[in-house]
Each structure stands twice: as structure tokens, then as C-alpha cells.
């Protein structure tokens, strides 16, 4: 049986603290639990995704730095919780500064990922982009088929919407096939503000909203310390992630 083509999905919002990295980690893990072959690529110099999966502190050669700086193929990935992972490195902060002077400065990751697509090794490649609008995020956007936009249920999320829209428009100019798979409500609470913000999102993105993912500092803090994704033993949190993955699979297969 012929497998469907590899789907490349970038989790993106230019504001920090929106649940971007935990979203990438947990959606990837849930896809893997369902039997999909998953590659995570950590593009953020902060390397939170790598650290939270126990793969921090790797040599720079095992990251995307050579891909972006030298046009090298993707390195051999690390194996974490049923997924493959290309970790990050602090050196990516320097790479960001170097990229504007290099040829094809926003197309280097796409070239490397296209080779992986052709090999048919993965069903999903999830990119954890930096919380910025720089060249590394541009590389991710040009390589991706889909975007997941995590939107915290707070004023921070509302304030970020204008910038998110402008960024999507700009990235669509260079990647006409780029689409938003879903706007995922994160950090939802029981406050009036949280409910009101979610109502605004529902009005703005009818048919494209997913979630909410509840604000659970204990659960998510423990997962970071234990270097593992949210899973079935965190029953309520896992149910929210599973529902988001259901929505994602519906969108990318439509």
C-alpha cells in the first residue's frame, strides 16, 4: 500500500510563552502513539524542545546548524519517546545572524527536508520554530505544508494576532502552498477573561479553531522535569491533546 506523502507542519507564533514547544512535543508524541512515523526538528536556539525530551547538549554537528550554514543534509536523529528528533543548539542564535548574507537564506531547510520527503521515512515532520520572525522561522515556513498557531487564552494572545496575520501573509508570498491547519487555544482557564478571549477566537477563526488546551502548570512542569511528553497517565491533559490531534488529522487529510 502506498503511504501518503510526508506532511511538514510548523508550530509558530512570534510571541513567547504561548505553549508552542509543548504543543509540538505533545502532538508529535500523540501522532507516534497512533502509529505514525514522526520527526521533530528543533529550530529554536533556546532548545526547550530538545531539553524537555532529554536530548539537550548535543554537539552542533547533530543539529540543523550545518544544514542552515553549509547546506548539509539533515544529521542522524536522536530517538526519543517513539519519535526521531533533530535537537537544537545555542549556536543557532549565531546562525540567525549569518543567514542574511548566505545564498538561498530562507530555502536551505526546505532543500534538506525535501530529500527526507523523497525517502518516505516519515509521515509527519514537526518543526518547532523560534518565537521570532527571522530567517530561521522563514526557513521553516518555506519548508512547511501547514502551520499550527497556538493562541493563549489571554490578552497576550489577542495582542499577538495582528503580527501572526502579517507573518502568515508574508510567508505565503514565498510558499503559496502554506496553509493554517488549526489555531489551537492554549493555556485556557476558568476566568472571565479566558472565556471572553476564546469567544473572540471562535468568531475570528470559525472552522479552524481547536482546543482548548487547559492551563495546567503542575502537569506541564512535571513533564518538563521528567523529560517526557504529556501521556495517558495525565488523563485529562492527554485527552485534550488527543482531541487536538483528531482535529489536525482531519484538516491535513481533507
Amino acid at each position: 500500500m502506498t503511504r501518503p506523502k510526508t506532511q511538514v507542519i510548523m508550530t509558530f507564533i512570534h510571541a513567547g510563552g504561548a505553549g508552542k514547544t509543548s504543543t509540538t512535543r505533545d502532538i508529535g508524541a500523540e501522532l507516534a502513539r497512533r502509529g505514525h512515523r514522526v520527526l521533530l526538528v528543533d529550530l529554536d536556539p533556546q532548545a526547550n524542545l530538545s531539553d524537555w525530551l532529554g536530548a539537550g547538549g548535543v554537539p552542533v554537528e547533530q543539529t540543523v546548524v550545518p544544514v542552515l550554514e553549509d547546506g548539509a543534509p539533515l544529521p542522524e536523529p536522536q530517538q526519543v519517546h517513539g519519535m526521531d528528533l533533530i535537537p537544537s543548539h545555542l549556536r543557532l542564535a549565531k546562525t540567525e545572524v549569518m543567514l542574511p548574507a548566505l545564498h538561498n537564506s530562507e530555502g536551505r531547510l526546505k532543500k534538506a527536508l525535501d530529500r527526507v520527503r523523497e525517502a518516505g521515512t516519515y509521515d509527519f515532520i514537526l518543526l518547532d520554530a523560534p518565537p521570532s520572525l527571522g530567517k530561521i522561522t522563514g526557513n521553516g515556513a518555506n519548508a512547511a505544508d501547514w502551520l499550527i498557531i497556538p493562541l493563549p487564552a489571554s490578552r497576550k494572545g489577542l495582542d499577538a494576532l495582528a503580527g501572526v496575520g502579517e507573518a502568515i501573509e508574508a510567508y505565503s508570498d514565498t510558499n503559496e502552498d502554506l496553509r493554517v491547519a488549526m489555531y489551537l487555544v492554549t493555556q485556557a482557564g476558568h476566568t472571565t477573561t479566558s472565556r471572553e478571549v476564546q469567544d473572540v477566537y471562535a468568531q475570528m477563526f470559525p472552522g479552524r479553531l481547536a482546543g482548548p488546551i487547559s492551563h495546567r502548570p503542575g502537569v506541564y512542569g512535571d513533564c518538563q522535569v521528567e523529560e517526557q511528553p504529556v501521556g495517558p497517565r495525565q488523563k485529562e491533559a492527554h485527552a485534550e491533546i488527543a482531541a487536538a490531534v483528531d482535529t489536525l488529522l482531519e484538516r491535513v487529510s481533507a
Side-chain angles (χ1 to χ4, degrees):
M1 182 178 68
T2 302
R3 280 186 176 266
K5 72 170 186 175
T6 303
Q7 302 280 352
V8 180
I9 303 170
M10 184 171 81
T11 310
F12 162 74
I13 185 170
H14 63 294
K20 173 182 63 65
T21 297
S22 58
T23 294
T24 307
R25 176 197 65 192
D26 296 336
I27 284 179
E30 179 61 17
L31 287 168
R33 284 189 200 97
R34 299 185 187 194
H36 297 289
R37 303 167 300 166
V38 177
L39 173 66
L40 307 178
V41 183
D42 192 351
L43 299 174
D44 190 340
Q46 297 177 84
N48 286 333
L49 180 64
S50 305
D51 291 339
W52 294 353
L53 289 170
V58 301
V60 69
E61 293 80 11
Q62 295 179 22
T63 73
V64 294
V65 168
V67 175
L68 296 176
E69 292 187 5
D70 306 319
L74 283 182
E76 191 71 21
Q78 313 288 309
Q79 295 183 343
V80 291
H81 300 284
M83 302 173 284
D84 283 355
L85 168 69
I86 306 295
S88 184
H89 193 282
L90 184 60
R91 168 65 181 268
L92 274 172
K94 182 178 180 181
T95 303
E96 180 74 80
V97 176
M98 295 173 57
L99 274 170
L102 302 179
H103 172 69
N104 192 26
S105 63
E106 292 192 1
R108 294 182 165 222
L109 181 63
K110 181 181 186 302
K111 185 176 180 181
L113 291 184
D114 281 349
R115 296 175 186 149
V116 178
R117 285 188 199 253
E118 291 170 6
T121 308
Y122 300 103
D123 301 309
F124 293 96
I125 299 175
L126 304 186
L127 312 177
D128 186 35
S132 69
L133 302 176
K135 293 292 185 180
I136 291 177
T137 302
N139 265 272
N142 281 327
D145 304 301
W146 301 95
L147 296 174
I148 295 174
I149 312 293
L151 292 174
S154 64
R155 284 294 311 186
K156 177 193 288 188
L158 289 178
D159 292 343
L161 283 177
V164 167
E166 291 172 3
I168 293 171
E169 184 176 352
Y171 293 141
S172 296
D173 284 343
T174 54
N175 181 1
E176 294 181 353
D177 296 324
L178 184 66
R179 291 155 288 176
V180 176
M182 61 185 182
Y183 293 88
L184 179 63
V185 178
T186 61
Q187 302 175 2
H190 300 292
T191 65
T192 300
T193 298
S194 180
R195 290 191 293 269
E196 289 176 346
V197 170
Q198 291 180 67
D199 288 342
V200 172
Y201 292 156
Q203 294 171 20
M204 294 186 67
F205 307 114
R208 291 191 291 171
L209 202 63
I213 306 296
S214 298
H215 182 58
R216 303 179 190 274
V219 169
Y220 286 94
D222 288 347
C223 285
Q224 292 173 20
V225 171
E226 295 168 6
E227 299 178 344
Q228 64 179 5
V230 167
R233 72 185 182 94
Q234 295 92 12
K235 186 175 180 180
E236 293 179 350
H238 177 249
E240 293 176 346
I241 297 297
V245 170
D246 289 342
T247 300
L248 176 66
L249 291 174
E250 290 173 6
R251 302 278 168 81
V252 302
S253 63

